[in-house]
Amino acid sequence: MKRRTALSALAASSLPAWAQSPAWPKAKPITYVVPFTAGGSTDVVGRLIAQKLQESLGQTVIVENRPGQGGSIGATHVARSAPDGYTLIGGTISTHAINRSLYKALPYDPVKDFEPVSLVAFLPNVLLVDPNLGVDTVAQLIALLKKDERRRTFASSGAGTSTHLAGELFADLIGVPLTHVAYKGTPPAMIDVSGGNVTFMFDQMTAALPLLQQGKLKLLAVTTAKRIALSPGTPTMVEAGVAGFEMASWQAVYAPKNTPRVIVDRLSSEIRKALQTPEVSAKLGGQFGMEIAAGSPEALAALMATEIPRWAVLVQKSGASAS
């Protein structure tokens, strides 16, 4: 009996920490890291998913904002976290595609350091200006930028974000040098654009809606290939005369590398179920204009395999860089 007990103890000690702890997810609250400030698209998506996971898993899910450096600070934190299913991240096109080619010394690898869990949605980017700027179309904005050097500024939610790259691509396509003004998140950037301190910005419709509805921002165009249902009268950038301008952001969920597959599969299943509920569909799709795209871990990995090289080309073409 003593020998059997000793062997059992030895076997238990050789198991990874997650296997020795109480059955996941009962041991402790789950932390869902949003690598951007509160109020932006990633935060909106993250809080909704966290709420649904809390309901389905029967465990507290805490949303923790860790903004900075195009999402790199939050992503690095999660990459270095224990792969036990208790730390997740709301990844984006920035953290898991653009940053790999934008930063010279990225402290994490978006492929090697994470387990894809589920794609969540695609988001249309929109071109926004101050209503008092005196322009009503993209063509008028371009004319103003060419005429007035003082107006050649654009804001973004941070260096390395898709909103940053959208501005760089715009500058390249219209042939006008522009100055990028990076903010620590979407809300402060939009406030400065709405106040006329910066001329324009690209950002997700999700975050822009409140200020658009209040008349504090004006929508000139969408960056997707087709017009969006939320604003069918708004032209695409191509329709507005900027040939070759097409891009969309995306949101996804990841866990640290080597998180047990059984946990990844459970999380993926619960997230996809949540995204298919009328409540979530109405909020993300109807209210914020997102295209819900729930998918398997393999589908998310396949998307990254396409997006990472695509954005590497755009980064090189635009000449954008980050320290």
Side-chain angles (χ1 to χ4, degrees), residues 55-192:
E55 294 171 1
S56 63
L57 297 176
Q59 177 58 279
T60 300
V61 181
I62 301 169
V63 175
E64 182 178 291
N65 294 87
R66 285 180 173 262
Q69 298 179 5
S72 295
I73 290 176
T76 301
H77 170 74
V78 175
R80 296 172 180 174
S81 297
D84 54 9
Y86 289 100
T87 306
L88 306 173
I89 185 170
T92 69
I93 192 172
S94 298
T95 60
H96 284 76
I98 297 174
N99 285 358
R100 193 177 200 183
S101 54
L102 189 73
Y103 286 85
K104 296 178 180 178
L106 192 65
Y108 68 91
D109 189 300
V111 175
K112 296 179 180 179
D113 293 337
F114 296 90
E115 297 290 349
V117 175
S118 177
L119 181 63
V120 174
F122 290 99
L123 300 80
N125 280 347
V126 292
L127 174 55
L128 305 161
V129 297
D130 172 13
N132 297 315
L133 185 61
V135 301
D136 296 311
T137 66
V138 176
Q140 290 176 358
L141 174 61
I142 294 172
L144 176 65
L145 295 173
K146 289 183 176 180
K147 177 182 178 181
D148 191 346
E149 292 185 4
R150 296 171 302 172
R151 292 292 188 179
R152 294 175 184 175
T153 59
F154 73 95
S156 82
S157 57
T161 61
S162 63
T163 61
H164 170 198
L165 267 294
E168 297 285 2
L169 180 60
F170 184 54
D172 180 64
L173 291 175
I174 66 174
V176 177
L178 301 174
T179 299
H180 172 226
V181 183
Y183 289 79
K184 292 184 177 180
T186 293
M190 287 190 175
I191 289 173
D192 266 12

Side-chain angles (χ1 to χ4, degrees), residues 6 8 37 54 85 119 121 144 161 168 189 207 210 214 226 229-230 233 235 271 312 321:
S8 297
T37 54
Q54 184 165 294
L119 181 63
L144 176 65
T161 61
E168 297 285 2
Q214 294 167 27
K226 299 179 181 179
L230 206 58
I271 290 171
S321 64

Side-chain angles (χ1 to χ4, degrees), residues 182-263:
Y183 289 79
K184 292 184 177 180
T186 293
M190 287 190 175
I191 289 173
D192 266 12
V193 171
S194 67
N197 297 318
V198 185
T199 303
F200 73 92
M201 72 179 296
F202 289 92
D203 212 297
Q204 283 82 51
M205 190 69 156
T206 317
L209 269 176
L211 291 179
L212 286 170
Q213 293 167 344
Q214 294 167 27
K216 295 181 179 180
L217 284 175
K218 179 182 289 186
L219 175 60
L220 297 187
V222 298
T223 66
T224 44
K226 299 179 181 179
R227 297 190 182 194
I228 59 175
L230 206 58
S231 185
T234 302
T236 66
M237 289 293 289
V238 172
E239 289 175 331
V242 187
F245 198 114
E246 180 187 330
M247 62 169 58
S249 299
W250 44 265
Q251 301 277 345
V253 180
Y254 297 83
K257 194 67 175 181
N258 296 321
T259 298
R261 182 64 195 224
V262 64
I263 294 178

Side-chain angles (χ1 to χ4, degrees), residues 165 168-169 172-173 243-244 311-320:
L165 267 294
E168 297 285 2
L169 180 60
D172 180 64
L173 291 175
W311 282 96
V313 172
L314 288 175
V315 167
Q316 182 178 18
K317 181 178 180 181
S318 69

